[in-house]
Amino acid sequence: MSHRTIVRPPMEPPPEAVPGAATPEFEAANQRLDRRRGLLLALPSWAFLTLFFAIPLLIVVVYSFATRNRFGGTDLSGWNLEGYRELGQEFVLNLVFRSFTLAVVTTVICLVVAYPFAYFLATRSPAVRNLMLVFVMIPFWSNFLVRNYAWRVLLGNDGPVSQATEAVGLGETTILFTQSAVVLGLVYGFLPFMILPLYAAIERMDWSLVEASRDLGATGWQTFRKVTFPLSLPGVIAGSILVFVPSFGAYVTPQILGGGKDPMLGTYIVAQFLEARNWPEGAAASTVLMVVMLAATLVYFRTGGRTL
Amino acid sequence: MTERSPSTRVAAVEIRGVTKRFDDVIAVDNVDLTIADGEFFAMLGPSGCGKTTTLRMIAGLEFPTQGSLKIFGDEVGTLPPNKRPVNTVFQNYALFPHMTVLDNVSFGLRMSGADKAEARQRAGEMIELVQLGGMAARKPNQLSGGQQQRVALARALVNKPKVLLLDEPLGALDLKLRQEMQVELKSLQRELGVSFVFVTHDQEEALTMSDRIAVMDQGKLLQVGSAEDLYARPASRFVADFIGQTNLIEATVADPNTIVLANGQRLRAPSPHAAGTSVAMSLRPETIQIGARGTVPAVHEATSLEGVVSSASYLGHSMVYDVSIDWIDLEVRTPMVLSEERFTPGSEVAVWWDRRSDWLVAE
């Protein structure tokens, strides 16, 4: 590099404006146009989300501050925090805790079951992979409610599961209408939501990193702990959120397989709207649930998870 | 296949009769190879020739289908990579993206049970050695390609491998950086005295860096030798053609001192091959002289041909002529000397060469 100083005239005359030649004004106008075009393309989904997501959400938040009148209706006046105050009752806290525990247990079981499967899937040939992914998706082809009732039949007193355990001398199975049955149903229902993000994370991993780890003296298990698992963490977190969130607020499964004996958060909210006719209370519970979920998701994004 | 071993010490790597099959594809076909301790050894060949598979078998990332593979006298053919005293610099470096440079470099030491403080200290020294001091806390994606390359090198070398394996380590770098790294790698290897086994498809890279080179094609080992062996005394048409540029002239051996070209012209070329053997004469473009017809020196009369210049290109340091001689085209490269006569396309010329600069290959 030479250190010559380039001597320039103090002022360079502006270049002559040639028609059709590039100017900063043209570039700026072009960028403005580009932005406007982008906005136009996003308009349908914006409209849809506003109409069917943002506005209903807002309605729920508004109702959580409203007043319940004597006839079980809701007056949009006399704004108060009664709905939130009622959430502090002991039995509500208990059912929130119960729901939280069951959701955690469900998430952990899903993770433990799904990880080896996703790993296996990601290391197969493309043909086998696609076939097995279809198997994972098949349950979605029938209604969630119907599938829950199917479990009720399977787990029933004279159901196939009970008959099988009796036949091998383990006595009859009586888990229907217990929390175990609820967890079983939730795991069954949400397992694909754990498998798919895990599969995506493991599948796009660079396998030469595993080779490098082995080459550097790591055993298979060390390689899993230090390389494979940390690199699949975005999938683990995404899958956990996708399983935990619907499990926490689940309604159908606790109702059908739990028999509604131990109220859970989902069943409680529904009961407030339909049976207790206490809409502000139900809306307040929903709002709190949403805020908690949102906070959890935000924490995930802030702590480095970038891909969902 | 002749092989000179530059040392009588136990070989760093000894490969005997190794074959690797992937389903019905034979990637490596019955290869015998000895790599000496402290040697800079290159494996050269076109893509798919089996050089990388051979390297991966030494690393333990593939197991041979058949044959024996020894590292410093110990059979390692079926040992997993973590039980071999070798380390690899991978083609795309394979740096752990979720770890800092320091954690990447100390990984191997930690895995072999060194305590954290010691591993960090030794890794730090190695990072200094590859001139990345100050980068230890960065993640790989915050480094340039050349810096990543150095991290990969440090990560492998910090474990004091008995053999360092390098799989096209410079392939992803641009030309200038690549040339710098070639020099650095070479001096690093000399400094450490460890055998480097280097896979490349770039013959120039192999020639400039290596003590010895193995040329492979279609899973077979064709020739092992120094750069000069391969360039001046190729064992086959493939090697002659692959290493540098050459003119291959098909001919038949007539007697121990003469070959006959396809048009019946006889050239003086001593050969050990029996009469009637079909051979190819390899003539490097820079060993051929060009001049007007009738100017061939008498001593070169028996090693000359007449032809017509079909193209002439100016390359700055030299002139390149294509001379067509009946059915063949010869490339002739003459250094640019201002006083020397230049020829234009269409010129009728003679070309000749020194008796010692041709080389016959039978395979």
Side-chain angles (χ1 to χ4, degrees):
Chain A
M1 232 356 116
S2 66
H3 292 275
R4 263 183 305 155
T5 318
I6 297 165
V7 183
R8 264 197 219 156
M11 278 281 278
E12 280 184 21
E16 291 279 322
V18 182
T23 62
E25 291 77 29
F26 174 80
E27 197 185 9
N30 200 25
Q31 278 172 1
R32 265 198 307 279
L33 195 69
D34 238 25
R35 265 197 298 276
R36 219 172 297 151
R37 213 176 285 139
L39 223 55
L40 199 67
L41 288 173
L43 197 61
S45 50
W46 271 108
F48 183 88
L49 285 175
T50 308
L51 203 60
F52 296 107
F53 177 71
I55 293 178
L57 199 66
L58 200 67
I59 293 175
V60 171
V61 174
V62 168
Y63 267 69
S64 70
F65 297 106
T67 316
R68 177 188 178 213
N69 64 27
R70 273 185 292 156
F71 314 106
T74 308
D75 293 336
L76 290 176
S77 58
W79 307 108
N80 62 77
L81 292 172
E82 195 51 38
Y84 292 93
R85 211 166 290 130
E86 282 171 26
L87 289 178
Q89 300 169 81
E90 204 188 336
F91 86 97
V92 179
L93 292 179
N94 278 343
L95 68 86
V96 167
F97 180 74
R98 184 160 54 233
S99 298
F100 180 82
T101 313
L102 288 191
V104 168
V105 170
T106 302
T107 307
V108 170
I109 293 177
C110 277
L111 185 61
V112 171
V113 173
Y115 203 102
F117 180 75
Y119 189 93
F120 173 78
L121 203 57
T123 50
R124 292 311 102 179
S125 70
V128 176
R129 254 182 231 184
N130 290 339
L131 185 70
M132 297 184 74
L133 279 175
V134 169
F135 287 153
V136 172
M137 310 294 263
I138 280 180
F140 291 121
W141 296 352
S142 61
N143 185 287
F144 188 58
L145 203 63
V146 173
R147 285 185 281 137
N148 272 282
Y149 272 110
W151 272 107
R152 193 157 161 167
V153 173
L154 282 173
L155 297 177
N157 281 341
D158 288 319
V161 174
S162 190
Q163 284 173 359
T165 50
E166 230 169 330
V168 296
L170 290 170
E172 54 177 346
T173 304
T174 54
I175 70 163
L176 188 61
F177 303 139
T178 65
Q179 295 194 354
S180 307
V182 175
V183 170
L184 181 69
L186 290 174
V187 169
Y188 162 77
F190 299 133
L191 191 62
F193 296 115
M194 184 66 92
I195 292 175
L196 294 177
L198 278 178
Y199 162 76
I202 298 171
E203 195 264 342
R204 69 164 169 244
M205 204 183 58
D206 179 359
W207 288 98
S208 69
L209 297 174
V210 171
E211 291 189 338
S213 168
R214 299 301 308 274
D215 183 76
L216 291 165
T219 61
W221 173 240
Q222 283 173 321
T223 299
F224 178 76
R225 265 178 42 225
K226 300 281 183 185
V227 179
T228 317
F229 188 74
L231 288 174
S232 66
L233 217 48
V236 171
I237 295 172
S240 298
I241 291 176
L242 289 179
V243 172
F244 180 80
V245 170
S247 298
F248 194 23
Y251 169 68
V252 171
T253 306
Q255 197 66 26
I256 296 174
L257 295 178
K261 275 199 300 191
D262 304 307
M264 307 243 305
L265 192 50
T267 39
Y268 176 70
I269 291 172
V270 172
Q272 293 312 306
F273 279 106
L274 300 185
E275 288 150 35
R277 302 295 289 166
N278 191 349
W279 286 25
E281 165 66 357
S286 304
T287 306
V288 169
L289 183 60
M290 278 186 296
V291 168
V292 169
M293 297 303 181
L294 200 65
T297 314
L298 281 179
V299 166
Y300 159 64
F301 279 113
R302 294 297 286 275
T303 50
R306 291 277 174 272
T307 47
L308 199 67
Chain B
M1 197 72 14
T2 54
E3 235 188 82
R4 299 175 311 143
S5 186
S7 138
T8 51
R9 285 174 293 178
V10 58
V13 179
E14 195 180 343
I15 296 174
R16 288 286 162 263
V18 163
T19 296
K20 176 66 185 178
R21 246 179 244 113
F22 292 107
D23 298 325
D24 45 338
V25 179
I26 298 180
V28 173
D29 191 356
N30 195 19
V31 163
D32 289 306
L33 192 63
T34 306
I35 298 167
D37 189 12
E39 192 175 29
F40 201 120
F41 191 90
M43 290 200 278
L44 177 65
S47 65
C49 72
K51 55 191 193 298
T52 296
T53 306
T54 306
L55 192 85
R56 289 170 59 82
M57 284 193 286
I58 301 174
L61 299 171
E62 306 284 356
F63 295 135
T65 310
Q66 211 174 332
S68 153
L69 204 159
K70 287 181 180 169
I71 296 175
F72 284 95
D74 298 325
E75 180 63 48
V76 296
T78 55
L79 280 186
N82 52 320
K83 298 209 170 128
R84 300 185 186 207
V86 301
N87 287 113
T88 308
V89 175
F90 288 83
Q91 185 164 14
N92 295 314
Y93 318 136
L95 300 178
F96 304 124
H98 58 300
M99 297 184 195
T100 62
V101 168
L102 187 64
D103 288 340
N104 262 284
V105 176
S106 55
F107 187 86
L109 298 171
R110 300 281 293 136
M111 290 303 116
S112 62
D115 72 67
K116 201 162 184 172
E118 194 208 335
R120 282 174 162 257
Q121 198 212 328
R122 278 173 60 193
E125 287 165 13
M126 188 51 76
I127 291 169
E128 290 291 332
L129 183 73
V130 297
Q131 297 161 29
L132 284 178
M135 305 272 180
R138 295 210 190 169
K139 292 275 182 73
N141 63 8
Q142 295 169 307
L143 302 178
S144 71
Q147 290 168 335
Q148 291 182 16
Q149 156 76 62
R150 286 160 198 268
V151 176
L153 205 56
R155 187 178 70 171
L157 284 174
V158 75
N159 306 296
K160 300 208 168 76
K162 289 181 167 176
V163 181
L164 182 72
L165 309 172
L166 303 105
D167 185 5
E168 304 245 10
L170 309 180
L173 305 179
D174 60 50
L175 182 66
K176 194 155 184 313
L177 204 53
R178 194 156 68 219
Q179 287 167 341
E180 269 173 42
M181 284 306 293
Q182 285 176 5
V183 176
E184 263 180 59
L185 269 183
K186 183 71 192 163
S187 67
L188 198 61
Q189 188 264 338
R190 228 175 271 138
E191 211 172 297
L192 299 170
V194 176
S195 308
F196 278 30
V197 182
F198 186 94
V199 159
T200 181
H201 66 270
D202 181 340
Q203 45 115 351
E204 205 176 303
E205 200 164 276
L207 292 178
T208 47
M209 300 173 76
S210 326
D211 297 321
R212 286 195 310 150
I213 301 164
V215 181
M216 292 186 72
D217 184 41
Q218 297 183 356
K220 289 206 160 66
L221 183 63
L222 298 180
Q223 189 173 3
V224 182
S226 68
E228 202 184 336
D229 287 338
L230 298 180
Y231 193 78
R233 294 176 288 280
S236 60
R237 286 181 177 84
F238 180 87
V239 175
D241 202 34
F242 193 71
I243 307 286
Q245 271 172 301
T246 198
N247 298 293
L248 284 174
I249 304 169
E250 298 296 329
T252 310
V253 175
D255 62 59
N257 279 317
T258 317
I259 58 170
V260 187
L261 304 188
N263 65 350
Q265 186 173 357
R266 299 168 85 82
L267 290 174
R268 188 182 157 80
S271 83
H273 305 291
T277 313
S278 88
V279 293
M281 182 166 67
S282 164
L283 270 179
R284 299 287 176 187
E286 69 276 9
T287 63
I288 306 177
Q289 312 234 30
I290 188 167
R293 292 210 181 148
T295 62
V296 180
V299 283
H300 298 313
E301 203 68 61
T303 53
S304 70
L305 290 166
E306 289 188 339
V308 177
V309 173
S310 59
S311 81
S313 330
Y314 174 80
L315 287 191
H317 50 77
S318 59
M319 283 296 293
V320 175
Y321 296 106
D322 276 326
V323 180
S324 36
I325 296 152
D326 280 356
W327 73 110
I328 44 176
D329 271 318
L330 278 191
E331 188 181 319
V332 179
R333 200 176 273 252
T334 63
M336 188 61 76
V337 184
L338 288 176
S339 60
E340 205 163 337
E341 196 177 352
R342 288 205 208 157
F343 300 95
T344 50
S347 306
E348 298 198 328
V349 293
V351 294
W352 67 89
W353 57 93
D354 189 279
R355 208 162 40 72
R356 285 158 302 186
S357 57
D358 61 52
W359 181 258
L360 296 183
V361 289
E363 277 176 43

